[in-house]
Amino acid sequence: MPAGETITRNRINYVNFNQLRSFYAVARELSFTKAAELLCIGQPTVTTQVKALEETYNLQLFVRGPNDLTLTDAGEALLTVARQIFSLEERAHSLLNTVGNQFAGRLHIGTVGPFFVMKQLSKYIDRYPLMHVTVESANSDSIYQKLLNYEVDVGIIGSDYSDPRLDLVCLGKHEVVIAVPVSHPWAHRSQVNIEELDGQRLIMREKGSMTRRALEEVLAANSIRPNVVMELPRDSVLEATAAGLGLGIISNFEFSRDQRLRTLSIARYSPCTRSFAACLKERRALPSIDAFMQMSSELVSQLRDAHGEEPDSD
């Protein structure tokens, strides 16, 4: 080599995987404290790794306010890529944990109500005893967002959201009914006319509930304006109704026998919701997710064969 001649080699900076994992956890939780708990490491470690990632690439990934944390545009873009990376890691982990027809690992299910998912879960756990299943409940909009954010593997939701990213199995339709205390003048009836709800004290489900949305559509179409006194989660609706605070709304599939309450159909209209088992199409290849979705389809087929029609809340 002639004197003074040098060879310049291109240097490749690989992303530090631990730093990226810490970023991903913080970006999902929008909290360094919660990210540390999720990763089972100390918060200073998470903070150091995220800071090192920002310094390595001279980027600001988060805007740190006095009481909150938000993603920058660069952070949002990196979060999209990180989701794909850790989804592939999950697929590899699932593949390596597959033993014959058995699966070993975790399945996280988000559901609009535990009653919608228990039949599937019973069969799933019997068939795949090495799987550890966790279930969380929320309204449809919340579960839908958690699906998109990879926070749950499968969702039981009340709408298809017209989203082409989702694989869906329709589980059935469910009538929205009015709950009243046994002491209410309507308690001996089986139906209520939509006009009778005008001005009535009504306990609504929280925003994002498909049960609420179905009733609101019928009320709006008939220019009915009830006096909405509360907005509560599902279980609290029944407790508030039993306490005499107003009339509650609920899917009849969600209502279990309660000596304090009676339910009434809405005559002529019968608003209803539908429930769906849903997963992201890009994650359907995961054996644990695919098995649950297939099991949901099998259950629907069995109910259809037994009843000769689409399964409903019965």
Side-chain angles (χ1 to χ4, degrees):
M1 180 184 300
E5 184 177 342
T6 61
I7 297 177
T8 302
R9 298 181 183 273
N10 291 328
R11 183 179 177 183
I12 300 174
N13 287 324
Y14 292 101
V15 176
N16 184 296
F17 205 67
N18 289 329
Q19 293 173 3
L20 187 63
R21 191 184 299 279
S22 288
F23 160 79
Y24 183 50
V26 175
R28 285 177 54 181
E29 301 294 330
L30 290 179
S31 165
F32 282 87
T33 301
K34 291 180 180 178
E37 292 173 356
L38 183 67
L39 297 173
C40 299
I41 59 178
Q43 181 178 332
T45 301
V46 174
T47 302
T48 298
Q49 288 179 345
V50 171
K51 183 179 179 181
L53 187 63
E54 290 180 315
E55 290 178 349
T56 298
Y57 296 94
N58 194 27
L59 285 173
Q60 183 178 2
L61 300 172
F62 297 98
V63 177
R64 298 161 175 82
N67 298 310
D68 61 359
L69 191 70
T70 57
L71 284 159
T72 63
D73 289 345
E76 290 281 4
L78 183 59
L79 176 58
T80 300
V81 175
R83 283 196 185 110
Q84 297 171 359
I85 290 172
F86 289 108
S87 177
L88 289 172
E89 181 196 30
E90 182 183 31
R91 288 177 65 176
H93 186 267
S94 179
L95 176 66
L96 293 170
N97 273 320
T98 300
V99 182
N101 291 324
Q102 281 289 358
F103 309 138
R106 295 178 179 272
L107 184 73
H108 192 178
I109 299 174
T111 176
V112 291
F115 23 78
F116 287 102
V117 74
M118 290 308 166
K119 286 184 179 178
Q120 294 99 306
L121 274 185
S122 177
K123 291 187 176 182
Y124 188 87
I125 292 171
D126 283 346
R127 192 175 298 179
Y128 306 111
L130 299 181
M131 288 296 299
H132 177 80
V133 180
T134 57
V135 179
E136 66 172 283
S137 294
N139 63 50
S140 282
D141 285 355
S142 296
I143 297 300
Y144 171 60
Q145 288 301 321
K146 287 178 179 289
L147 269 175
L148 299 185
N149 293 335
Y150 296 65
E151 295 175 44
V152 298
D153 303 310
V154 175
I156 308 298
I157 53 180
S159 171
D160 64 7
Y161 291 92
S162 299
D163 192 330
R165 294 172 292 182
L166 298 181
D167 253 351
L168 297 158
V169 175
C170 184
L171 302 176
K173 59 182 179 181
H174 320 287
E175 184 182 359
V176 177
V177 296
I178 304 297
V180 301
V182 291
S183 58
H184 194 277
W186 295 351
H188 67 284
R189 297 166 57 178
S190 61
Q191 291 186 326
V192 59
N193 295 318
I194 191 71
E195 295 79 12
E196 294 179 278
L197 296 178
D198 200 42
Q200 291 287 335
R201 292 169 60 86
L202 204 64
I203 302 167
M204 276 285 196
R205 286 286 308 279
E206 76 282 15
K207 293 185 185 299
S209 159
M210 294 300 118
T211 300
R212 171 179 178 153
R213 196 167 298 173
L215 180 63
E216 284 181 332
E217 289 174 358
V218 172
L219 294 173
N222 290 274
S223 301
I224 304 299
R225 295 183 179 179
N227 176 20
V228 178
V229 294
M230 286 184 171
E231 297 181 0
L232 297 171
R234 176 186 301 102
D235 294 340
S236 299
V237 167
L238 295 180
E239 291 303 315
T241 303
L245 298 175
L247 309 179
I249 65 164
I250 193 168
S251 162
N252 65 345
F253 191 58
E254 302 168 344
F255 183 76
S256 57
R257 187 174 297 277
D258 189 325
Q259 297 300 323
R260 303 170 300 169
L261 302 171
R262 299 289 183 270
T263 58
L264 291 75
S265 297
I266 300 174
R268 302 193 312 277
Y269 293 98
S270 299
C272 44
T273 63
R274 293 179 183 271
S275 57
F276 299 86
C279 70
L280 289 173
K281 287 180 179 178
E282 66 184 70
R283 303 188 71 207
R284 181 69 189 258
L286 287 170
S288 56
I289 294 177
D290 182 61
F292 186 90
M293 296 296 288
Q294 286 193 37
M295 206 165 289
S296 297
S297 295
E298 291 170 8
L299 180 62
V300 171
S301 296
Q302 290 167 6
L303 290 172
R304 185 180 291 116
D305 291 342
H307 298 285
E309 56 184 9
E310 179 185 11
D312 58 17
S313 57
D314 295 327

